[in-house]
Amino acid sequence: MNRSKVKIDESVQPYNITVTGRHVLVTEAMKNYAIEKVSKIDRLSHRIIDVIITMDIQKLEHRVDIVLKVDHIKIKSHAVCDDMYVSIDKAVDKLERQLLKYKSRIRDHQAKKLTVVDMKVNVYQAPGQEELSDVNEQIEDESQRRLEENYKPRHILSSETIPLKILTNEEAIMKMELSGDAFLIFRSENDMKLKVIYRKSDQNYGIIEPEA
């Protein structure tokens, strides 16, 4: 790993450029060339914190990855070619375009006027302790009333008589098919016992014999 410190300006804190190699031995010439190319972008920003350059060779591909930290963000670029020096040039050019785009967005954001809208705010006096106690009691009474209303025994509203038909199982099934009801109570013609036929989830029918 090769680390060099680049001085931007006497009034600005210098930043570091780190050059590393992966599957390649970075020569002094390669390192100096990369540092020289990257150093030219400091004219675009005095907020650069550090730059990491990684060179890699996979078969015939010479790849260069650059990570530039500016302000609180990281800007990344890479290039692949059959020549490491050309890859450095392309990666730096791409990094420069991205940095210019970032600066343009920052300018647009700073130039954008914020719209301010007046908002009505109602201020209420906080209730006293006695008032809070009264409210809590009212809430508890209402909750209790609702519970009693929901769970109290239901009154019989009216009484009515419905005919209990005497059917065979086949007739009961036919009536279920025609009516679409979920169940039917009938007395079996065969043994005169009470039976309940119901529609199952698979659309078949079940017959319950409570007097069996």
Side-chain angles (χ1 to χ4, degrees):
M1 179 183 295
N2 298 299
R3 185 185 298 271
S4 300
K5 183 167 288 190
V6 177
K7 198 169 186 180
I8 306 170
D9 191 275
E10 292 297 331
S11 59
V12 181
Q13 181 70 27
Y15 63 90
N16 291 322
I17 298 181
T18 303
V19 182
T20 61
R22 187 184 301 126
H23 307 115
V24 60
L25 177 63
V26 179
T27 65
E28 196 69 21
M30 291 163 61
K31 183 190 78 168
N32 292 337
Y33 185 83
I35 292 174
E36 180 183 356
K37 294 291 293 187
V38 169
S39 299
K40 293 179 179 179
I41 66 172
D42 59 31
R43 73 186 189 281
L44 303 177
S45 176
H46 294 320
R47 298 174 179 269
I48 298 175
I49 299 173
D50 56 40
V51 183
I52 298 175
I53 303 171
T54 305
M55 302 182 190
D56 186 15
I57 295 180
Q58 294 285 348
K59 295 182 179 179
L60 299 178
E61 292 186 345
H62 293 233
R63 178 184 177 103
V64 174
D65 291 274
I66 304 177
V67 179
L68 180 143
K69 188 172 183 181
V70 56
D71 293 331
H72 58 285
I73 70 163
K74 289 182 179 180
I75 300 176
K76 299 179 181 180
S77 74
H78 77 276
V80 179
C81 194
D82 57 0
D83 182 279
M84 187 64 75
Y85 290 92
V86 177
S87 296
I88 293 171
D89 291 340
K90 290 184 176 181
V92 172
D93 289 344
K94 187 183 296 183
L95 184 70
E96 184 174 344
R97 290 195 299 270
Q98 290 174 296
L99 184 57
L100 287 171
K101 186 184 296 184
Y102 166 72
K103 288 187 64 179
S104 176
R105 289 179 178 176
I106 291 295
R107 284 195 301 268
D108 292 344
H109 177 73
Q110 292 173 343
K112 184 178 180 181
K113 293 183 179 180
L114 297 178
T115 303
V116 178
V117 179
D118 292 334
M119 184 172 59
K120 183 179 179 181
V121 178
N122 296 320
V123 180
Y124 292 88
Q125 182 178 5
Q129 190 62 39
E130 291 184 3
E131 187 177 352
L132 285 175
S133 298
D134 292 340
V135 172
N136 287 334
E137 288 180 5
Q138 292 174 13
I139 293 174
E140 291 176 1
D141 291 343
E142 178 63 18
S143 298
Q144 184 66 28
R145 186 191 68 77
R146 291 186 180 182
L147 286 173
E148 292 175 356
E149 181 69 24
N150 289 334
Y151 294 103
K152 71 179 181 180
R154 300 301 177 183
H155 298 291
I156 298 174
L157 297 177
S158 63
S159 297
E160 59 184 26
T161 301
I162 59 173
L164 184 61
K165 295 187 178 182
I166 300 173
L167 303 169
T168 63
N169 289 350
E170 290 74 18
E171 289 172 336
I173 292 173
M174 184 181 297
K175 288 185 71 66
M176 290 283 288
E177 287 287 340
L178 294 173
S179 66
D181 292 338
F183 70 94
L184 172 67
I185 302 173
F186 67 100
R187 194 170 292 279
S188 174
E189 185 180 283
N190 297 329
D191 52 16
M192 298 304 292
K193 290 183 178 180
L194 199 66
K195 295 186 179 182
V196 180
I197 183 171
Y198 67 96
R199 195 186 306 272
K200 300 177 65 176
S201 59
D202 58 4
Q203 300 304 310
N204 291 321
Y205 295 99
I207 296 180
I208 301 172
E209 300 181 0
E211 294 182 347

